[in-house]
Every structure is written in structure tokens, then in C-alpha cells.
Amino acid sequence: MKMITIKFDGEDYPARLIDVSGKRLISIDRLDVALMTKDGCYVSEEARAIDEGVFLYVPESMIATDEKTLVQYVKEMAA
């Protein structure tokens, strides 16, 4: 398992590339919240660019699970 980070607004957010019908970048819900205003708009163009590259946001507790479990979770959530 290779954990990577997405840097945004001075903070590092964990992320992973997993194989779900091709390589997909996933990250944590906390990043999704940081990218958006309460009204559902992007806080910046950088936030929009990051969000467009993330396939799915998962609970922080899921990001470090084994790949098989994580892939299964992502498939269920994306269905």
C-alpha cells in the first residue's frame, strides 16, 4: 500500500491510487469539506482542480485499509 498526500491550504491529506476500472485517486472526506464552502462552491480554482482529480472521498478510517477492502468499498460507493 502506497499512501500519498494531497497538499491543500497548508495541510496534507492522505490519498491513495487504487485500481478500480483503471487507476483512481481517492482521498478522505475531510479534504472534500476543505475544498468547498458551506454553499457548495469551490473555495478556489486550486480546490476545483484537486476535486476534479479525486474519484471518491472515503471516511478517514478507510484510507489505510488493505487494498482489497478499499477497492470493494469504492466499488459499492461508486455504483
Side-chain angles (χ1 to χ4, degrees), residues 12-56:
D12 290 343
Y13 297 89
R16 284 174 64 184
L17 271 175
I18 61 170
D19 195 352
V20 182
S21 304
K23 289 289 184 187
R24 306 282 187 201
L25 181 65
I26 60 163
S27 190
I28 58 171
D29 293 334
R30 193 164 43 88
L31 174 59
D32 188 26
V33 171
L35 298 175
M36 308 294 277
T37 65
K38 290 190 185 341
D39 299 329
C41 299
Y42 291 109
V43 298
S44 66
E45 281 302 312
E46 179 189 11
R48 177 190 306 272
I50 290 169
D51 185 57
E52 288 174 354
V54 176
F55 180 69
L56 188 76

Side-chain angles (χ1 to χ4, degrees), residues 52-64:
E52 288 174 354
V54 176
F55 180 69
L56 188 76
Y57 297 97
V58 301
E60 199 150 354
S61 60
M62 288 294 301
I63 198 78

